[in-house]
Amino acid sequence: MSGPVVFNGKTFSCIREMLEDREAMILSPYASLSRESRGRQREEEKCDMRPDYQRDRDRILHSKSFRRMKRKTQVFLAPEGDHYRTRLTHTLEVSQIARTISKSLLLNEDLTEAIALGHDLGHTPFGHSGEHVLNNLCSGGFEHSEQSVRIVEVLEKGGRGLNLTWETRDGILNHQTSGHPATLEGQVVRLSDKIAYLNHDVDDAIRGGLITEEDIPKEYTEVLGHNVHDRLNSLIHDVITHSFGRKTIVMSPDYENAMQGLRKWMFGNIYTGGRAKAEEHKAQQMIELLFDHYMKHPEELTTEYRMLIERGDSRERAVCDYISGMTDNYAIEKFEELFVPLGWRVS
């Protein structure tokens, strides 16, 4: 345990209290202060060194769900090459953008980073195509943002969850377009997510030869910039400039319209068709077959998911939890194990 510390002529009982005091001194009046958090699901002794939001960040970073994102599809299914984004690299890019904005706006970087690192923990294998299938299969539907919260509240740590603060969980739940985060840090992550995926998906599409920079309509590039670096830079600057000293995170109308227009163009040209999406139906059929199999044979679920059923969760909920937590590779391995005759497998 850290003992008393003296900083700026003030004595604090521990390092955490000194850091909390520094937050109150330097952050915006609209920032979320660690010592003013609504608290955790379960009361626990505070860390003597780390404020609550930093502790949230650390718990997410060390979780199994976070590590699994390195082998989950972002947008492009099974790309040939090491430089395409995965769900994990997307998350890290969101975190970097969100921290830059939060730091410039004098918001709480620890809370921002915790939300950013946790926002996609609940994503399925094979990206949004996997999410779409589970949403159709599960009677209660499936949303990756809700699943991310379920992971940190229930599924991690053998059913105990990560016991994160209310503010972090709120930001994770509300990071999608339809969400309304209660904190400015959550609003920053919500917008940073869009900035990140739009620009890195353009970058990956260009790298994969699906489009060229010249294909992007000039009405968007003339506002946002003529390459990925310039577009990222201009969007981040626009958010910071128009949000500084305000109670909300906003963009200028010109930039917001251009970004939404580019997003719509990407849906028409990349996200919903073409070579990069040609294999999605196979992945979707694979998830359907896995779901049907485990619904009929719940005894084949791993121990932690069988325990969910024993504890009172429905079989459907446990199967959905199990499949959504799979990496792309693990889902393929289980499919081959269950449905591909051994003699036909390629060694």
Side-chain angles (χ1 to χ4, degrees):
M1 297 289 289
S2 66
V5 293
V6 178
F7 181 73
N8 280 347
K10 298 173 67 175
T11 301
F12 302 93
S13 64
C14 61
I15 289 174
R16 171 183 51 79
E17 288 190 359
M18 181 266 290
L19 294 175
E20 291 173 343
D21 188 73
R22 189 178 66 173
E23 282 183 1
M25 290 175 58
I26 67 174
L27 295 185
S28 163
Y30 307 124
S32 300
L33 301 183
S34 299
R35 66 188 182 193
E36 295 179 359
S37 169
R38 296 193 192 184
R40 303 183 183 279
Q41 285 179 283
R42 302 181 302 277
E43 288 190 19
E44 60 180 69
E45 184 178 354
K46 288 184 176 292
C47 178
D48 63 320
M49 300 188 72
R50 295 169 299 166
D52 282 349
Y53 299 141
Q54 181 184 349
R55 206 174 186 188
D56 283 358
R57 187 274 313 274
D58 295 349
R59 289 179 179 183
I60 292 169
L61 188 64
H62 291 288
S63 69
K64 292 188 297 182
S65 301
F66 184 81
R67 294 194 293 275
R68 287 200 300 267
M69 288 195 293
K70 68 182 178 181
R71 296 193 181 277
K72 290 194 177 191
T73 293
Q74 170 59 22
V75 169
F76 301 109
L77 183 64
E80 296 181 358
D82 295 329
H83 297 146
Y84 295 91
R85 272 72 170 189
T86 65
R87 187 61 59 181
L88 179 61
T89 58
H90 159 73
T91 293
L92 295 176
E93 290 184 35
V94 173
S95 177
Q96 180 270 321
I97 292 169
R99 285 185 58 204
T100 297
I101 295 172
S102 272
K103 189 168 189 174
S104 298
L105 297 178
L106 300 178
L107 300 178
N108 194 310
E109 282 187 73
D110 288 336
L111 175 57
T112 301
E113 189 172 18
I115 296 170
L117 294 180
H119 82 281
D120 270 356
L121 292 176
H123 250 296
T124 64
F126 312 116
H128 285 285
S129 61
E131 180 177 18
H132 178 72
V133 173
L134 285 183
N135 186 50
N136 289 334
L137 291 172
C138 298
S139 59
F142 182 91
E143 287 279 351
H144 78 268
S145 57
E146 294 176 358
Q147 187 68 14
S148 296
V149 174
R150 179 167 169 79
I151 284 172
V152 301
E153 288 185 347
V154 177
L155 300 181
E156 275 288 341
K157 298 291 185 182
R160 300 189 306 275
L162 300 180
N163 199 27
L164 304 181
T165 62
W166 182 90
E167 291 79 9
T168 297
R169 289 181 283 127
D170 170 80
I172 290 172
L173 179 64
N174 289 290
H175 77 270
Q176 297 190 95
T177 301
S178 59
H180 300 282
T183 65
L184 291 193
E185 290 81 3
Q187 292 182 34
V188 167
V189 173
R190 179 175 171 273
L191 194 50
S192 297
D193 184 32
K194 296 176 177 59
I195 292 172
Y197 77 66
L198 182 61
N199 282 282
H200 65 50
D201 291 351
V202 169
D203 190 38
D204 281 353
I206 292 174
R207 177 176 289 107
L210 304 176
I211 60 172
T212 67
E213 179 66 40
E214 290 69 32
D215 291 329
I216 303 173
K218 290 183 178 180
E219 62 186 294
Y220 310 134
T221 59
E222 287 177 355
V223 176
L224 303 177
H226 296 279
N227 56 63
V228 171
H229 173 271
D230 286 349
R231 285 190 286 270
L232 276 171
N233 192 52
S234 65
L235 283 164
I236 292 169
H237 273 79
D238 186 79
V239 173
I240 293 169
T241 300
H242 291 86
S243 302
F244 195 86
R246 300 185 62 176
K247 294 182 180 181
T248 187
I249 305 301
V250 296
M251 301 175 66
S252 66
D254 287 347
Y255 274 75
E256 184 172 9
N257 290 336
M259 188 173 79
Q260 291 300 329
L262 179 56
R263 181 173 180 267
K264 184 177 180 180
W265 184 84
M266 285 291 288
F267 268 97
N269 290 272
I270 298 298
Y271 293 143
T272 56
R275 178 160 51 93
K277 313 297 277 185
E279 298 294 295
E280 278 194 351
H281 70 283
K282 297 178 183 178
Q284 292 175 334
Q285 290 174 345
M286 187 159 42
I287 290 178
E288 289 175 359
L289 288 168
L290 287 172
F291 186 88
D292 181 67
H293 176 83
Y294 288 114
M295 285 295 292
K296 294 176 180 176
H297 302 282
E299 71 279 1
E300 296 183 19
L301 295 171
T302 58
T303 302
E304 59 188 307
Y305 295 97
R306 293 200 305 271
M307 286 176 58
L308 290 174
I309 299 174
E310 294 170 3
R311 205 171 61 182
D313 283 320
S314 68
R315 179 185 303 184
E316 183 185 75
R317 180 72 259 176
V319 170
C320 191
D321 288 337
Y322 181 46
I323 293 176
S324 66
M326 292 179 175
T327 63
D328 295 14
N329 291 352
Y330 186 72
I332 293 171
E333 288 172 9
K334 297 307 291 184
F335 177 82
E336 290 180 342
E337 177 185 312
L338 294 170
F339 299 108
V340 179
L342 183 61
W344 287 77
R345 294 188 197 170
V346 178
S347 61

